[in-house]
Amino acid sequence: YGVGATLDIHTYPGGTSIGTFSGVWPRYSRFWTHGDVPALDDKQQPDIGRTLLKDFIGWVESLAKDDPLAFNGVRAISPMNEPAHLAGLYNGKDPIRTDRETFLPALPSDMAKEYLAELNNGLDSQPQLTQVPDGNHLRVFLWLRDAIDTFRQSKLPSLGKELHVNVHESVLPSDVLPKQKVKPDYGLNTASMQVFGAWWRASTSAEERAKWAVLDVHHYHAWGPECTGAVEGFPTGRYSCSDDETKSQVLGTCATWSHIYRSTLEHECEEGLRLASAEFSASTHHSVRHACNDLPTLKMMLES
């Protein structure tokens, strides 16, 4: 049927995010503090994540000869799922304070300064474009930059395979984002997309963005209080499952996120780039106890 699979490396040793999905919950993730070589004093330590990804890409390359049928079924590789998801919240600051250090440490200052200069090179004369801000998220951006380069140097681009690079807005703390008046949960706030677009522009070429480099931003309305629906309605959700008028208004507003996503990325990177949102909410609320389960509501949510 012409359906291809994306091979998603969902996590790495030590866990790459807080939570159960790609972490080691209830323990704190340790990948970024112990498995990412720039975090280590002993530079002789093996770079676990980059080495695993390089070997994985080499294995996929080998399928072209060893198992052509399997190779033909591979459409893309995703190098890491939602890298450092929630690091922008679990950083020892408001709104979530913990007694632990962040699981995503900053890059060494000299390395961060050098990388920022690379990312923002030439932008002083282009004030219409966003500059990548300093912060702990640079560690994730640097790792993904190296992942892109590893894929770029492989045979896979010339063999028609894609790289789906996944990022999540929660890696960015609110205090580093461009200031805007619109609540981010509505999907009308472009701040995170501006930063991602600035990084994507600096990390890929226009030709790569048109052919094999796909930016993938996951988005979950079911976890945002401004866009959720619940059986009992407000305050658990913004609308009740039976309130068609409010439901239509809320979903219509929140669904504009996809348009904001594309228009903001096109502003930062120009048209012609390929985008995806490979994970999104299939429910109206993150708790099944409250989520709408009637077909008309679910259909309206997905169609919007």
Side-chain angles (χ1 to χ4, degrees), residues 17-19 23-30 100:
S17 296
I18 285 290
V24 287
W25 193 258
R27 298 179 181 273
Y28 251 31
S29 302
R30 288 292 180 259
R100 309 181 191 185

Side-chain angles (χ1 to χ4, degrees), residues 33-88:
T33 54
H34 293 70
D36 186 30
V37 161
L40 304 174
D41 294 330
D42 183 1
K43 296 301 190 292
Q44 301 303 312
Q45 292 285 339
D47 194 322
I48 298 171
R50 289 172 175 85
T51 300
L52 282 173
L53 178 62
K54 184 177 181 180
D55 290 348
F56 181 75
I57 288 175
W59 172 74
V60 175
E61 283 181 319
S62 73
L63 294 178
K65 179 181 178 181
D66 298 340
D67 194 339
L69 182 62
F71 185 76
N72 288 337
V74 176
R75 175 176 178 173
I77 289 174
S78 181
M80 186 183 292
N81 174 73
E82 298 179 1
H85 178 33
L86 296 177

Side-chain angles (χ1 to χ4, degrees), residues 7 32 36 60 72 89 110 141 157-159 174 218 225 237 246 258 270-271 276 278 292 295:
L7 301 181
W32 299 107
D36 186 30
V60 175
N72 288 337
L89 295 175
D110 290 346
F141 285 173
S158 64
L159 294 174
S174 60
H218 294 175
T246 305
S258 60
E270 300 183 349
E271 296 182 0
C292 302
L295 291 181

Side-chain angles (χ1 to χ4, degrees), residues 141-264:
F141 285 173
L142 181 65
W143 196 94
L144 291 176
R145 182 206 67 177
D146 292 346
I148 294 168
D149 194 50
T150 299
F151 186 87
R152 179 187 288 126
Q153 295 180 37
S154 75
K155 299 176 183 177
L156 295 182
S158 64
L159 294 174
K161 305 306 177 185
E162 301 168 357
L163 185 70
H164 291 191
V165 181
N166 176 224
V167 288
H168 194 282
E169 295 161 83
S170 69
V171 71
L172 300 168
S174 60
D175 58 1
V176 307
L177 296 175
K179 302 304 178 185
Q180 296 188 354
K181 295 181 180 179
V182 181
K183 292 182 179 181
D185 189 54
Y186 274 105
L188 301 179
N189 190 316
T190 65
S192 296
M193 296 305 115
Q194 287 176 247
V195 174
F196 288 151
W199 170 75
W200 193 237
R201 180 184 64 240
S203 304
T204 55
S205 69
E207 182 180 3
E208 291 169 344
R209 293 192 291 270
K211 290 185 176 180
W212 54 261
V214 179
L215 184 65
D216 174 22
V217 180
H218 294 175
H219 192 71
Y220 306 103
H221 281 162
W223 287 87
E226 301 295 341
C227 295
T228 53
V231 174
E232 63 273 36
F234 187 81
T236 307
R238 278 292 310 287
Y239 61 86
S240 68
C241 311
S242 59
D243 185 350
D244 290 341
E245 182 177 357
T246 305
K247 179 168 53 181
S248 179
Q249 291 174 350
V250 171
L251 291 176
T253 300
C254 293
T256 58
W257 176 84
S258 60
H259 304 290
I260 294 296
Y261 174 26
R262 173 160 290 280
S263 63
T264 305

Side-chain angles (χ1 to χ4, degrees), residues 110-130:
D110 290 346
M111 182 178 294
K113 184 177 180 180
E114 180 180 350
Y115 186 36
L116 270 179
E118 172 190 321
L119 290 172
N120 296 325
N121 182 41
L123 292 183
D124 289 340
S125 60
Q126 302 182 73
Q128 76 279 12
L129 297 178
T130 303

Side-chain angles (χ1 to χ4, degrees), residues 231 241 284 288 290-298:
V231 174
C241 311
T284 66
V288 295
H290 302 291
C292 302
N293 55 19
D294 60 290
L295 291 181
T297 297
L298 295 177

